[in-house]
Amino acid sequence: MYSPQRKDFVSLTLGDQHSYTNGKHRRQSCWRKWKQLSRLQRSLILFLLAFLFICGILSYSSLAEQWRGLSDRSLKEDWVEIDNRGLRPIPPGLIPKLPPGVVPGVQDVPPEVLPELQRPSIPILPKPPAMRKPPSKRGPPALQKRGNVSDWQEKDGEEPVIKREDEEGKEAKTVISWRGAMIEAEQGTELQSTAHGKVGTVANAEGAANLKPVTEKPVDRVEAVREAFRHAWKGYKAFAWGHDELKPISKTHGEWFGLGLTLIDALDTMWILGLKEEFAEARKWAETELSFSKNVDVNLFESTIRILGGLLSTYHLSGDTLFLDKAKDIGFRLMPAFKTPSKIPYSDVNIGKGTAHPPRWTTDSTVAEVTSIQLEFRELSRLTQDPQYQNAVEEVTRQVHRLEGKRDGLVPMFINTNSGKFTRRGAFTLGARADSYYEYLLKQWLQGGKKETELLEDYLQAIEGVKKNLLRQTSPSKLTFVGELSNGRLNPKMDHLVCFLPGTLALGAHNGLPADHMDLALQLMETCHQMYAQMETGLSPEIAHFNLQNHNERDIDVKPADRHNLLRPETVESLFYMYRFTKDSKYRDWGWDILQSFNKHTRVPSGGYTSIGNVRDPLNPAPRDKMESFFLGETLKYLFLLFSDDNELLSLDKYVFNTEAHPLPIWPTAS
């Protein structure tokens, strides 16, 4: 059979009387193709179109909200610019008519008109043609929520209020908000200060004579610290009571040891701040709930400085033997850590089983951890008349004193618990893993009445080693910083932890050590301040890198991985020492700036403060949902002492602070 004959041409016939209708043909073709699709294909296409339509509606509402926020911000910025030039337009019709010959002043303005004179008349401005870049400099933020403010920063209740009595006995209120420590004071019709913080004035009608200065009441900084503590405590009590740490954003808690770490760390802070009600409820928990007979591993160093140190300090301040009994209990349970071949303690102890061990990944302990437990165990022996605690920690001190591997008094970061020798030599730092070794050399010497000369010799030699090997200056501003040495090469980075050093140097100079220690303290204090001041949030990063060459007109660079802030205390600690010894008010001002920045960028409305992930972004500081116990145990305590006018409150001639800010008494000469 043959196949049909193949045709090699196409026949097309066009009618003369009919025109070709392209639109109609296209519609019929599209409809035919649509009908040829399967039911599943048509359903998918319809679903996609509906989804795109909904997304378009949502995008439109979001853009409209951002446009409105941008317009509001533009109006506010333009008004601030007018205000900064001293121009405050008076709305038409509000200028009072006065009799001829009378020089107008504030006292002549009718009471019903004065509030209107204080209210700015903001001109209507056109919408900006393009999105403005957020200002890089810090300044007072808008009180309303902006489009890019995170939900965790939104107010979810009434703002806390500090009540004060004014001159006439009337109650005045200062609003405390997460967006700023002191937002505004309600002063009736009293005029506010200008945008530059200067005294406000009201001019007469001729704008030249009879200026009336109006002064604002000074902010009670001590009370502001108390309020910050109460706010943090409110969050801890509501969401983490009896647990180690507060997670303020998720309104829950985190555990490390399961021993109420934040509560114990904050006991002496509450006593010092005079928060009797909060202290009483914390004491009740310690009496009824705190138990160390738990099958749990704890870190020897952290448990010593936070728990043992906190209990000993609270006992000395309150005289309550409950805290001494608890200190004896935890101190005894930590002693198995010293049962090693070298007498250099293990890092971890099971306080329930009475066993100890090194970390899983190494047999080393860090030098800072094994040499920064001496103040607490020595004091425990003095109080209990049991020498085992003091003997154990002083054996560690003697061994480290004799060890080889130091460089001009500087020590490596690790020590082996089996051999008792330094490991990983060649790296020297005053930051993590070594910092408090140097601090405790001086403070043990002071605690013991300045009798232990080996401690003093090691301290003085170490400071000379810092000057010789680690000290450098930045470009272009000549900031002095302490770098790190690795195999003979300097790395120009400095941990925030190193900012303990200005205060320690000043403490030594106060006790008769060389005067150039104080000179170095002044220089390093300025650098630590700049680590805050040069950041957009006003808060320091965890690690700063310093420029030795003038590349970008900046002294400080921060790598993305180092931009977090953990609410650390080292800078405010040194500010406290520097103010106590110099009485220079700038140190108080710097501390106040830091507290305001904490309130502005880390305060959570429901209670508590959070560490943040990016100090370079004030609009989205990336909250990390964690409040470390040392924020209550150290940071707020040092801020309170910085602002207090009572120099006998924990006199530095009578007390020495451990590395967790727990004050312990300097031993009497008879001891």
Side-chain angles (χ1 to χ4, degrees):
M1 181 178 289
Y2 295 96
S3 59
Q5 184 178 2
R6 179 180 176 183
K7 296 180 180 181
D8 295 327
F9 63 90
V10 175
S11 175
L12 179 63
T13 304
L14 297 177
D16 295 334
Q17 297 178 356
H18 301 283
S19 62
Y20 177 69
T21 308
N22 188 40
K24 181 178 180 181
H25 177 77
R26 185 182 298 112
R27 287 194 299 271
Q28 291 176 349
S29 176
C30 291
W31 176 250
R32 188 181 305 112
K33 291 180 179 179
W34 172 258
K35 296 296 288 183
Q36 289 174 351
L37 295 175
S38 68
R39 182 175 298 177
L40 176 61
Q41 290 173 326
R42 284 181 284 180
S43 299
L44 290 175
I45 293 173
L46 290 174
F47 174 81
L48 180 60
L49 291 174
F51 177 78
L52 292 174
F53 178 75
I54 293 172
C55 289
I57 293 176
L58 294 177
S59 299
Y60 175 78
S61 61
S62 176
L63 289 172
E65 182 180 355
Q66 291 183 9
W67 184 264
R68 287 194 298 270
L70 181 60
S71 178
D72 293 342
R73 183 162 63 252
S74 175
L75 291 175
K76 181 175 182 63
E77 290 172 354
D78 287 328
W79 169 251
V80 171
E81 183 178 354
I82 293 173
D83 186 32
N84 288 340
R85 293 198 303 265
L87 303 176
R88 281 185 173 264
I90 299 178
L94 292 181
I95 301 178
K97 296 181 179 180
L98 302 175
V102 177
V103 178
V106 177
Q107 69 276 9
D108 303 312
V109 181
E112 63 276 8
V113 175
L114 184 56
E116 294 297 329
L117 285 173
Q118 294 173 305
R119 186 181 303 129
S121 176
I122 303 177
I124 299 177
L125 300 176
K127 291 184 178 180
M131 184 75 86
R132 292 189 180 188
K133 182 179 180 180
S136 60
K137 61 182 180 180
R138 293 187 289 122
L143 299 184
Q144 71 276 9
K145 181 182 179 183
R146 297 177 183 175
N148 50 10
V149 175
S150 303
D151 291 338
W152 69 272
Q153 296 172 327
E154 277 295 292
K155 182 175 72 172
D156 60 356
E158 289 295 324
E159 295 286 356
V161 172
I162 294 177
K163 295 183 179 180
R164 300 198 305 270
E165 297 293 324
D166 60 14
E167 292 81 3
E168 300 178 359
K170 296 180 180 179
E171 202 175 67
K173 293 189 291 184
T174 301
V175 180
I176 307 299
S177 168
W178 75 271
R179 292 295 288 170
M182 297 286 174
I183 289 181
E184 62 180 350
E186 296 180 5
Q187 303 288 349
T189 57
E190 187 179 48
L191 296 180
Q192 305 298 313
S193 62
T194 67
H196 296 289
K198 299 178 181 178
V199 176
T201 58
V202 176
N204 59 16
E206 298 176 1
N210 198 24
L211 294 179
K212 295 289 183 178
V214 181
T215 58
E216 289 183 346
K217 290 184 178 179
V219 174
D220 189 341
R221 295 178 175 181
V222 167
E223 188 59 34
V225 178
R226 285 197 184 98
E227 192 283 328
F229 185 97
R230 288 192 182 101
H231 182 78
W233 189 253
K234 179 181 76 171
Y236 177 76
K237 183 179 178 181
F239 309 120
W241 183 251
H243 297 282
D244 284 342
E245 294 166 338
L246 168 66
K247 293 184 175 181
I249 298 173
S250 57
K251 299 181 181 179
T252 182
H253 63 269
E255 294 289 25
W256 192 3
F257 307 145
L259 299 175
L261 206 58
T262 292
L263 188 149
I264 299 175
D265 222 358
L267 281 168
D268 58 358
T269 304
M270 289 183 277
W271 184 271
I272 293 166
L273 270 60
L275 303 177
K276 297 180 180 179
E277 180 179 341
E278 291 83 355
F279 181 85
E281 60 188 3
R283 185 205 180 277
K284 183 177 180 181
W285 180 88
E287 181 181 26
T288 60
E289 302 293 333
L290 179 59
S291 172
F292 298 122
S293 58
K294 292 184 176 182
N295 181 17
V296 59
D297 281 357
V298 302
N299 179 270
L300 171 66
F301 168 70
E302 297 290 354
S303 299
T304 299
I305 65 172
R306 302 193 197 204
I307 300 177
L308 179 57
L311 292 170
L312 290 172
S313 171
T314 307
Y315 164 69
H316 280 295
L317 295 175
S318 67
D320 192 333
T321 57
L322 167 69
F323 302 109
L324 179 57
D325 293 338
K326 295 291 184 181
K328 293 177 185 177
D329 189 9
I330 186 64
F332 180 79
R333 292 175 182 273
L334 292 174
M335 287 302 291
F338 295 92
K339 296 178 180 179
T340 69
S342 66
K343 306 301 182 184
I344 300 297
Y346 290 128
S347 63
D348 298 318
V349 187
N350 188 301
I351 56 175
K353 294 181 178 180
T355 60
H357 58 87
R360 296 187 185 93
W361 57 88
T362 181
T363 58
D364 292 347
S365 290
T366 65
V367 172
E369 291 188 353
V370 303
T371 58
S372 304
I373 53 179
Q374 279 72 7
L375 290 177
E376 298 82 0
F377 277 99
R378 282 158 47 116
E379 179 62 15
L380 184 60
S381 277
R382 191 179 75 91
L383 292 174
T384 63
Q385 297 299 306
D386 186 347
Q388 66 167 321
Y389 308 110
Q390 183 170 353
N391 291 341
V393 295
E394 289 188 346
E395 175 62 25
V396 177
T397 303
R398 284 190 292 270
Q399 288 199 41
V400 173
H401 172 73
R402 297 192 300 261
L403 274 181
E404 297 179 354
K406 299 178 185 178
R407 179 168 180 148
D408 300 317
L410 303 177
V411 295
M413 294 185 288
F414 297 96
I415 187 170
N416 189 269
T417 55
N418 292 325
S419 67
K421 298 184 181 299
F422 291 130
T423 60
R424 290 178 255 185
R425 302 182 186 185
F428 301 94
T429 176
L430 263 71
R433 300 187 176 95
D435 50 350
S436 48
Y437 161 75
Y438 305 99
E439 176 187 358
Y440 268 41
L441 288 175
L442 175 68
K443 290 183 175 180
Q444 287 180 84
W445 178 68
L446 295 175
Q447 180 191 47
K450 305 179 183 179
K451 298 176 181 178
E452 298 154 291
T453 56
E454 286 185 352
L455 295 169
L456 178 60
E457 290 170 1
D458 286 349
Y459 175 75
L460 293 174
Q461 185 182 10
I463 299 305
E464 292 305 311
V466 170
K467 295 178 184 177
K468 179 180 178 181
N469 298 283
L470 305 181
L471 219 56
R472 296 291 187 277
Q473 286 189 329
T474 68
S475 179
S477 302
K478 303 298 182 184
L479 298 177
T480 300
F481 70 94
V482 179
E484 296 183 354
L485 200 64
S486 179
N487 298 317
R489 183 175 181 179
L490 184 82
N491 185 358
K493 68 178 281 284
M494 188 171 93
D495 295 355
H496 183 273
L497 290 168
V498 181
C499 287
F500 84 92
L501 188 57
T504 300
L505 288 168
L507 179 62
H510 174 73
N511 283 276
L513 299 190
D516 64 350
H517 286 203
M518 191 63 180
D519 297 335
L520 180 56
L522 294 169
Q523 297 172 37
L524 291 174
M525 191 75 260
E526 173 66 30
T527 302
C528 291
H529 166 62
Q530 290 299 325
M531 288 171 64
Y532 284 79
Q534 293 190 25
M535 299 300 114
E536 288 78 355
T537 59
L539 295 174
S540 170
E542 180 74 357
I543 300 173
H545 288 76
F546 295 90
N547 289 324
L548 299 177
Q549 306 294 330
N550 189 3
H551 295 304
N552 56 5
E553 301 298 327
R554 293 181 67 97
D555 293 275
I556 301 174
D557 285 330
V558 186
K559 296 182 178 180
D562 303 330
R563 292 182 178 181
H564 49 288
N565 179 286
L566 304 181
L567 312 174
R568 285 199 184 276
E570 287 78 19
T571 293
V572 295
E573 171 188 357
S574 286
L575 289 173
F576 157 64
Y577 283 106
M578 298 301 290
Y579 179 76
R580 276 282 179 100
F581 297 138
T582 69
K583 298 303 178 185
D584 190 334
S585 62
K586 75 178 181 182
Y587 298 123
R588 281 183 164 180
D589 294 337
W590 292 354
W592 179 243
D593 290 341
I594 292 172
L595 178 59
Q596 287 183 304
S597 295
F598 279 138
N599 278 327
K600 184 176 179 181
H601 297 291
T602 73
R603 180 167 171 139
V604 181
S606 57
Y609 291 75
T610 178
S611 53
I612 60 174
N614 190 354
V615 298
R616 301 300 303 270
D617 188 349
L619 299 180
N620 181 23
R624 300 174 65 153
D625 194 20
K626 185 177 182 180
M627 185 177 77
E628 300 277 359
S629 75
F630 52 66
F631 182 67
L632 300 184
E634 298 186 73
T635 307
L636 293 181
K637 181 188 298 170
Y638 279 129
L639 283 169
F640 181 86
L641 294 172
L642 170 64
F643 299 141
S644 173
D645 292 324
D646 185 1
N647 288 331
E648 290 304 310
L649 177 61
L650 299 174
S651 167
L652 294 174
D653 295 321
K654 299 177 181 178
Y655 288 90
V656 61
F657 287 81
N658 84 337
T659 195
E660 191 74 8
H662 297 304
L664 300 173
I666 293 175
W667 297 346
T669 305
S671 297

